[in-house]
Amino acid sequence: MNPNHLLPFIQSRRTCYQFLEKTEFPVHLKSIQMCLNAAIYAPNHKLTQPWRFWLAGEDTQRQLAHIYADNRALKNTQTLTKELLGKLEMDYDRFYQKAFDKFMAIPSVILVGQHLSMNKVAYKEDYAACSCAIQNFQLMAWSLNIGVQWSTGPIISDQRTYDALNIEKENIELIGALYLGHIDEDCLPNKELKRKPINEVTTFLN
Ligand SMILES: Cc1cc2nc3c(=O)[nH]c(=O)nc-3n(C[C@H](O)[C@H](O)[C@H](O)COP(=O)(O)O)c2cc1C
């Protein structure tokens, strides 16, 4: 690997919020397997390999879409004023349908969980390891022209999601929902997203 290629590649990755249409540009299982294989080679202390992944099929995505839509519709109807809701001509049902359709349009959905350790130090290390795994996943995806949004939105803490996956909160903590799809170049936000220069965030000690 040429280091002169690696840095621009890492810098070019962006969180994607919109993808090419899924029937025309599906995310193939083989690509997802490559991303998962990159993920599981993340560093992890004591080789705890705390990451767990659930790749949603059509039925599961529909179940998750209902949970997503309910959370979105509830939040919008509870936080927006009646006046604004009237102006927007929106109510719970309309928000629900909009959010449901949006979720169902995501080409591929993967949930990521952290297998829970009873030990406080290990818990923190394992979260770090899972985060490294997700970044490995995102970079491999990017190399395949697949964009990812790592979401920590309400569906990952909703009990109904745990029920849908048949997992217990005592054993597994969901730490992210990964939304994947082929990159729609027109819809890349923050394409030139700036980072603080290293001199601002690094102290070079004697
Ligand atoms: C732990 C974590 C949680 C995140 N949760 C969300 C989220 O819930 N919704 C979202 O739109 N983006 C989420 N993101 C993506 C960040 O918003 C994104 O990485 C950030 O805006 C920088 O953009 P970039 O990924 O294009 O560099 C999350 C990222 C991380 C690392």
Side-chain angles (χ1 to χ4, degrees):
M1 165 62 78
N2 182 334
N4 292 323
H5 296 162
L6 184 58
L7 182 59
F9 176 72
I10 290 171
Q11 288 172 328
S12 72
R13 183 209 54 82
R14 289 279 70 81
T15 292
C16 291
Y17 297 93
Q18 225 166 321
F19 309 104
L20 294 177
E21 212 276 311
K22 70 175 176 184
T23 46
E24 213 177 326
F25 299 95
V27 180
H28 295 296
L29 181 59
K30 198 158 180 267
S31 303
I32 293 175
Q33 285 168 333
M34 286 176 80
C35 297
L36 291 170
N37 263 312
I40 63 172
Y41 281 90
N44 62 109
H45 196 198
K46 301 195 175 143
L47 277 178
T48 53
Q49 303 181 68
W51 38 72
R52 299 291 182 273
F53 304 95
W54 291 264
L55 170 58
E58 183 79 13
D59 289 348
T60 308
Q61 186 163 346
R62 186 166 293 105
Q63 271 180 290
L64 296 174
H66 282 297
I67 301 165
Y68 175 84
D70 181 49
N71 277 291
R72 281 298 278 262
L74 273 180
K75 186 178 171 208
N76 287 343
T77 46
Q78 283 167 1
T79 53
L80 301 179
T81 61
K82 275 210 170 107
E83 203 187 351
L84 187 55
L85 287 170
K87 239 188 208 167
L88 296 171
E89 294 183 14
M90 291 298 273
D91 57 12
Y92 177 91
D93 289 345
R94 286 187 176 175
F95 278 126
Y96 190 103
Q97 193 57 49
K98 207 172 157 211
F100 182 85
D101 293 344
K102 184 179 166 201
F103 197 93
M104 287 306 291
I106 299 169
S108 192
V109 174
I110 294 178
L111 292 164
V112 185
Q114 174 183 344
H115 184 259
L116 293 177
S117 156
M118 292 301 120
N119 176 318
K120 221 173 154 191
V121 175
Y123 173 81
K124 207 170 169 186
E125 289 175 345
D126 284 347
Y127 182 71
C130 287
S131 301
C132 292
I134 293 175
Q135 180 63 352
N136 277 5
F137 184 105
Q138 296 199 96
L139 289 174
M140 178 55 83
W142 196 250
S143 79
L144 296 164
N145 241 6
I146 292 167
V148 181
Q149 180 196 348
W150 174 355
S151 169
T152 42
I155 66 162
I156 66 163
S157 43
D158 194 304
Q159 182 58 44
R160 289 169 293 181
T161 306
Y162 283 79
D163 295 341
L165 303 184
N166 200 18
I167 55 175
E168 309 281 343
K169 282 189 174 178
E170 301 87 79
N171 303 326
I172 301 271
E173 183 174 343
L174 292 174
I175 60 164
L178 305 183
Y179 304 142
L180 278 68
H182 282 277
I183 298 165
D184 185 346
E185 296 283 345
D186 296 336
C187 295
L188 274 182
N190 309 325
K191 220 175 173 182
E192 303 300 326
L193 197 77
K194 293 278 186 286
R195 297 297 203 253
K196 290 178 188 165
I198 57 170
N199 284 342
E200 257 185 59
V201 295
T202 313
T203 306
F204 295 91
L205 300 167
N206 285 327

